[in-house]
Amino acid sequence: MGVFDQLADRRAFAGALALLLAGVQTTATFAAFFAGPETRAVFQARWFWEIALNFQIFLFFLMWVCHTDRISNATGWRKVRAVSRMVTGLFGVAPPFLTLIVCARNNWFYEKPAFAVVQTYALILLVAWA
C-alpha cells in the first residue's frame, strides 16, 4: 500500500473518508428515491436495509477511529474539545441513517411525498450537516 504510506495522519483520513462515504450514500439514496417507483421498490428489500445499516455502522466506526487517540491523549479542556469534535463528527456521518429513518417513519417508500416536503427535508439536513 504505497499510496497510504505518504499520509501524514491516517486517522484524519479515516474521518474524511467517513464524511465522503456518508455523502455518497445520502446522494445515492436521494437519487434512487427520485428515479421512479420501480427504483423505490429497492428500499423495501431487506438486503438494502442490511447493507445501508451495516454501512452506517462502518461510517461510525471510521469516525470513532479518527478521534479515539486524540481523546485518550488529551487532558482538561482539550479532552472536552476532542469529545465534542467526535460527537460532531458522528452527527456528520449520520444523515444517511437519519434519511432512511425519516423515510420509513413517514412511509415515503410506499407513498411518494410532495416535492416541497422532500426539498424542505433536504434543506434541513444540509443546514444541520453544515
Side-chain angles (χ1 to χ4, degrees):
M1 295 196 128
V3 175
F4 294 112
D5 291 339
Q6 299 173 1
L7 289 175
D9 190 354
R10 291 184 180 155
R11 293 188 178 268
F13 178 74
L17 182 64
L19 288 171
L20 178 72
L21 292 175
V24 167
Q25 184 181 10
T26 304
T27 303
T29 301
F30 273 107
F33 184 77
F34 287 121
E38 63 279 349
T39 356
R40 277 187 288 146
V42 168
F43 295 113
Q44 299 165 11
R46 181 185 170 119
W47 63 265
F48 170 78
W49 286 93
E50 289 287 333
I51 291 171
L53 295 177
N54 284 327
F55 193 69
Q56 191 64 50
I57 292 168
F58 176 66
L59 295 179
F60 285 139
F61 169 74
L62 283 176
M63 197 52 70
W64 176 265
V65 165
C66 178
H67 292 283
T68 52
D69 276 355
R70 291 181 179 99
I71 291 171
S72 62
N73 293 335
T75 58
W77 67 272
R78 292 181 191 262
K79 187 170 206 131
V80 172
R81 185 182 67 178
V83 169
S84 68
R85 286 183 177 178
M86 184 186 72
V87 169
T88 303
L90 290 173
F91 279 120
V93 297
F97 177 70
L98 295 175
T99 300
L100 291 174
I101 295 302
V102 167
C103 289
R105 174 71 175 100
N106 293 320
N107 203 21
W108 288 354
F109 298 130
Y110 292 106
E111 300 171 12
K112 190 172 183 181
F115 183 73
V117 172
V118 177
Q119 191 176 23
T120 304
Y121 173 71
L123 182 63
I124 291 170
L125 194 64
L126 180 66
V127 168
W129 184 81

CSV table of all heavy atoms in Angstrom, one decimal, residues 25 42-59 97 100-101 109:
chain,number,residue,atom,x,y,z
A,25,GLN,N,-23.5,8.0,0.1
A,25,GLN,CA,-24.7,7.2,0.5
A,25,GLN,C,-25.9,8.0,0.5
A,25,GLN,O,-27.0,7.6,0.0
A,25,GLN,CB,-24.5,6.5,1.8
A,25,GLN,CG,-25.6,5.5,2.2
A,25,GLN,CD,-25.5,4.9,3.5
A,25,GLN,OE1,-24.6,5.2,4.3
A,25,GLN,NE2,-26.3,3.9,3.8
A,42,VAL,N,-36.6,-0.9,-4.3
A,42,VAL,CA,-35.4,-1.3,-3.7
A,42,VAL,C,-35.3,-1.0,-2.2
A,42,VAL,O,-34.9,-1.8,-1.4
A,42,VAL,CB,-34.2,-0.7,-4.4
A,42,VAL,CG1,-32.9,-0.9,-3.6
A,42,VAL,CG2,-34.0,-1.1,-5.8
A,43,PHE,N,-35.9,0.1,-1.8
A,43,PHE,CA,-35.9,0.5,-0.4
A,43,PHE,C,-36.7,-0.4,0.5
A,43,PHE,O,-36.6,-0.4,1.7
A,43,PHE,CB,-36.4,1.9,-0.2
A,43,PHE,CG,-35.5,2.9,-0.8
A,43,PHE,CD1,-36.0,3.7,-1.9
A,43,PHE,CD2,-34.3,3.2,-0.4
A,43,PHE,CE1,-35.1,4.6,-2.5
A,43,PHE,CE2,-33.4,4.1,-0.9
A,43,PHE,CZ,-33.9,4.8,-2.0
A,44,GLN,N,-37.6,-1.2,-0.1
A,44,GLN,CA,-38.4,-2.2,0.7
A,44,GLN,C,-37.8,-3.5,0.9
A,44,GLN,O,-38.3,-4.4,1.6
A,44,GLN,CB,-39.8,-2.3,0.0
A,44,GLN,CG,-40.5,-1.0,-0.1
A,44,GLN,CD,-41.6,-1.0,-1.1
A,44,GLN,OE1,-42.0,-2.1,-1.6
A,44,GLN,NE2,-42.2,0.1,-1.4
A,45,ALA,N,-36.6,-3.7,0.2
A,45,ALA,CA,-35.9,-5.0,0.3
A,45,ALA,C,-35.1,-5.1,1.5
A,45,ALA,O,-34.5,-4.1,2.0
A,45,ALA,CB,-35.0,-5.2,-0.9
A,46,ARG,N,-35.1,-6.3,2.1
A,46,ARG,CA,-34.3,-6.5,3.4
A,46,ARG,C,-32.8,-6.3,3.1
A,46,ARG,O,-32.1,-5.8,4.0
A,46,ARG,CB,-34.6,-7.9,3.9
A,46,ARG,CG,-33.9,-8.2,5.2
A,46,ARG,CD,-34.2,-9.6,5.6
A,46,ARG,NE,-33.3,-9.9,6.7
A,46,ARG,CZ,-33.7,-10.2,7.9
A,46,ARG,NH1,-35.0,-10.3,8.1
A,46,ARG,NH2,-32.8,-10.5,8.8
A,47,TRP,N,-32.3,-6.8,2.0
A,47,TRP,CA,-30.9,-6.7,1.7
A,47,TRP,C,-30.5,-5.2,1.7
A,47,TRP,O,-29.4,-4.9,2.1
A,47,TRP,CB,-30.5,-7.4,0.4
A,47,TRP,CG,-31.2,-6.8,-0.8
A,47,TRP,CD1,-32.3,-7.3,-1.4
A,47,TRP,CD2,-30.7,-5.7,-1.6
A,47,TRP,NE1,-32.6,-6.5,-2.5
A,47,TRP,CE2,-31.6,-5.6,-2.7
A,47,TRP,CE3,-29.6,-4.9,-1.6
A,47,TRP,CZ2,-31.5,-4.6,-3.6
A,47,TRP,CZ3,-29.5,-3.9,-2.5
A,47,TRP,CH2,-30.4,-3.7,-3.5
A,48,PHE,N,-31.3,-4.3,1.2
A,48,PHE,CA,-31.0,-2.9,1.1
A,48,PHE,C,-30.8,-2.4,2.6
A,48,PHE,O,-29.8,-1.6,2.8
A,48,PHE,CB,-32.0,-2.1,0.4
A,48,PHE,CG,-31.8,-0.6,0.6
A,48,PHE,CD1,-30.9,0.1,-0.2
A,48,PHE,CD2,-32.5,0.2,1.5
A,48,PHE,CE1,-30.6,1.4,0.0
A,48,PHE,CE2,-32.3,1.5,1.7
A,48,PHE,CZ,-31.4,2.1,0.9
A,49,TRP,N,-31.7,-2.7,3.5
A,49,TRP,CA,-31.6,-2.2,4.8
A,49,TRP,C,-30.4,-2.8,5.5
A,49,TRP,O,-29.7,-2.1,6.3
A,49,TRP,CB,-32.9,-2.5,5.6
A,49,TRP,CG,-34.0,-1.6,5.2
A,49,TRP,CD1,-34.9,-1.8,4.2
A,49,TRP,CD2,-34.2,-0.3,5.7
A,49,TRP,NE1,-35.7,-0.7,4.0
A,49,TRP,CE2,-35.3,0.2,4.9
A,49,TRP,CE3,-33.6,0.5,6.6
A,49,TRP,CZ2,-35.8,1.5,5.2
A,49,TRP,CZ3,-34.2,1.7,6.9
A,49,TRP,CH2,-35.2,2.2,6.2
A,50,GLU,N,-30.1,-4.1,5.2
A,50,GLU,CA,-28.9,-4.7,5.8
A,50,GLU,C,-27.6,-4.0,5.4
A,50,GLU,O,-26.8,-3.6,6.2
A,50,GLU,CB,-28.8,-6.2,5.4
A,50,GLU,CG,-29.8,-7.1,6.1
A,50,GLU,CD,-29.6,-7.3,7.5
A,50,GLU,OE1,-28.4,-7.2,8.0
A,50,GLU,OE2,-30.5,-7.6,8.3
A,51,ILE,N,-27.5,-3.7,4.1
A,51,ILE,CA,-26.3,-3.0,3.6
A,51,ILE,C,-26.3,-1.6,4.1
A,51,ILE,O,-25.2,-1.2,4.5
A,51,ILE,CB,-26.3,-3.1,2.0
A,51,ILE,CG1,-26.1,-4.5,1.5
A,51,ILE,CG2,-25.3,-2.1,1.5
A,51,ILE,CD1,-26.3,-4.6,0.0
A,52,ALA,N,-27.4,-0.9,4.1
A,52,ALA,CA,-27.4,0.5,4.5
A,52,ALA,C,-27.0,0.7,6.0
A,52,ALA,O,-26.2,1.5,6.3
A,52,ALA,CB,-28.7,1.1,4.2
A,53,LEU,N,-27.6,-0.2,6.8
A,53,LEU,CA,-27.3,0.0,8.2
A,53,LEU,C,-25.9,-0.5,8.6
A,53,LEU,O,-25.3,0.1,9.5
A,53,LEU,CB,-28.4,-0.7,9.0
A,53,LEU,CG,-29.8,-0.1,8.9
A,53,LEU,CD1,-30.9,-0.9,9.6
A,53,LEU,CD2,-29.8,1.4,9.3
A,54,ASN,N,-25.5,-1.6,8.0
A,54,ASN,CA,-24.1,-2.0,8.2
A,54,ASN,C,-23.1,-1.0,7.7
A,54,ASN,O,-22.1,-0.8,8.3
A,54,ASN,CB,-23.9,-3.4,7.6
A,54,ASN,CG,-24.5,-4.5,8.4
A,54,ASN,OD1,-24.6,-4.5,9.6
A,54,ASN,ND2,-24.9,-5.5,7.7
A,55,PHE,N,-23.4,-0.4,6.6
A,55,PHE,CA,-22.5,0.7,6.1
A,55,PHE,C,-22.5,1.8,7.0
A,55,PHE,O,-21.5,2.5,7.3
A,55,PHE,CB,-23.0,1.1,4.7
A,55,PHE,CG,-22.1,2.0,3.9
A,55,PHE,CD1,-20.9,1.4,3.4
A,55,PHE,CD2,-22.3,3.3,3.7
A,55,PHE,CE1,-20.0,2.2,2.8
A,55,PHE,CE2,-21.4,4.1,3.0
A,55,PHE,CZ,-20.2,3.5,2.5
A,56,GLN,N,-23.6,2.1,7.6
A,56,GLN,CA,-23.7,3.2,8.6
A,56,GLN,C,-22.9,2.9,9.8
A,56,GLN,O,-22.2,3.8,10.4
A,56,GLN,CB,-25.1,3.5,9.0
A,56,GLN,CG,-25.3,4.7,9.8
A,56,GLN,CD,-25.0,6.0,9.1
A,56,GLN,OE1,-25.4,6.2,7.9
A,56,GLN,NE2,-24.1,6.8,9.6
A,57,ILE,N,-22.9,1.7,10.3
A,57,ILE,CA,-22.0,1.2,11.4
A,57,ILE,C,-20.6,1.4,11.0
A,57,ILE,O,-19.7,1.9,11.8
A,57,ILE,CB,-22.3,-0.2,11.8
A,57,ILE,CG1,-23.7,-0.3,12.4
A,57,ILE,CG2,-21.3,-0.8,12.7
A,57,ILE,CD1,-24.2,-1.7,12.6
A,58,PHE,N,-20.2,1.1,9.8
A,58,PHE,CA,-18.8,1.3,9.3
A,58,PHE,C,-18.5,2.7,9.3
A,58,PHE,O,-17.3,3.1,9.7
A,58,PHE,CB,-18.7,0.7,7.9
A,58,PHE,CG,-17.4,0.9,7.3
A,58,PHE,CD1,-16.2,0.3,7.8
A,58,PHE,CD2,-17.2,1.7,6.1
A,58,PHE,CE1,-15.0,0.5,7.2
A,58,PHE,CE2,-16.0,1.9,5.6
A,58,PHE,CZ,-14.9,1.3,6.1
A,59,LEU,N,-19.4,3.6,8.9
A,59,LEU,CA,-19.1,5.1,9.0
A,59,LEU,C,-18.8,5.6,10.4
A,59,LEU,O,-17.9,6.3,10.7
A,59,LEU,CB,-20.2,5.9,8.3
A,59,LEU,CG,-20.4,5.6,6.8
A,59,LEU,CD1,-21.6,6.4,6.3
A,59,LEU,CD2,-19.1,5.9,6.0
A,97,PHE,N,-28.4,7.5,7.7
A,97,PHE,CA,-29.2,6.8,8.6
A,97,PHE,C,-30.5,7.6,9.0
A,97,PHE,O,-31.6,7.1,9.0
A,97,PHE,CB,-28.4,6.5,9.9
A,97,PHE,CG,-29.2,5.9,11.0
A,97,PHE,CD1,-29.6,4.6,10.9
A,97,PHE,CD2,-29.6,6.5,12.1
A,97,PHE,CE1,-30.4,3.9,11.8
A,97,PHE,CE2,-30.3,5.9,13.1
A,97,PHE,CZ,-30.7,4.6,13.0
A,100,LEU,N,-33.0,7.5,6.1
A,100,LEU,CA,-33.7,6.3,6.0
A,100,LEU,C,-34.8,6.2,7.0
A,100,LEU,O,-35.9,5.7,6.8
A,100,LEU,CB,-32.8,5.1,6.0
A,100,LEU,CG,-31.8,5.0,4.8
A,100,LEU,CD1,-30.8,3.8,5.0
A,100,LEU,CD2,-32.7,4.7,3.6
A,101,ILE,N,-34.4,6.6,8.2
A,101,ILE,CA,-35.4,6.5,9.3
A,101,ILE,C,-36.6,7.5,9.1
A,101,ILE,O,-37.7,7.1,9.3
A,101,ILE,CB,-34.7,6.9,10.7
A,101,ILE,CG1,-33.7,5.8,11.0
A,101,ILE,CG2,-35.7,7.0,11.8
A,101,ILE,CD1,-34.2,4.4,11.1
A,109,PHE,N,-41.6,5.4,1.3
A,109,PHE,CA,-41.2,4.4,0.3
A,109,PHE,C,-42.4,3.8,-0.4
A,109,PHE,O,-42.3,3.3,-1.5
A,109,PHE,CB,-40.5,3.2,1.0
A,109,PHE,CG,-39.2,3.7,1.7
A,109,PHE,CD1,-38.9,3.3,3.0
A,109,PHE,CD2,-38.3,4.4,1.0
A,109,PHE,CE1,-37.8,3.7,3.6
A,109,PHE,CE2,-37.1,4.8,1.6
A,109,PHE,CZ,-36.8,4.5,2.9
